[in-house]
Amino acid sequence: MCTGIVETAEVSGTGKGPRGWFKLEQVNVSYDHPSNAPMDQALNIDFVNPTDGPGARVAVELSPESACKLVKAILNALSQTTMAPSKEPNRA
């Protein structure tokens, strides 16, 4: 059964796809059936640049437990830095 859980956010960064590095503009996060991971449900993360087409995409499918570990690792890494405020509006 599909969950319909989808969150989208603007991001700033770069990703590496089949044609090399590209600018990231958006991330789509869903909790639903994965395309490839061998599990019933996964946290699916797609970093994309919609204006560059389907080749400008980095996809990740994680188990819920792995997704929680990723969030913790990110927060731990950021807590050890002096994070300067972003000059871009609505972006952390």
Side-chain angles (χ1 to χ4, degrees):
M1 174 187 258
C2 293
T3 66
I5 299 170
V6 179
E7 295 288 331
T8 299
E10 290 182 20
V11 296
S12 179
T14 60
K16 190 170 184 181
R19 297 179 300 203
W21 289 96
F22 60 95
K23 180 181 174 184
L24 295 177
E25 295 181 349
Q26 181 177 315
V27 63
N28 304 309
V29 180
S30 65
Y31 182 75
D32 214 331
H33 300 292
S35 296
N36 187 61
M39 56 191 78
D40 291 332
Q41 300 287 322
L43 186 81
N44 308 300
I45 306 169
D46 290 306
F47 294 96
V48 298
N49 184 327
T51 58
D52 285 351
R57 175 177 183 247
V58 176
V60 178
E61 299 175 338
L62 299 172
S63 70
E65 298 80 14
S66 294
C68 288
K69 289 177 183 179
L70 173 61
V71 169
K72 184 177 179 181
I74 290 169
L75 293 174
N76 285 341
L78 290 174
S79 73
Q80 297 175 51
T81 68
T82 304
M83 295 176 24
S86 175
K87 294 180 183 175
E88 299 172 331
N90 300 321
R91 295 186 185 177

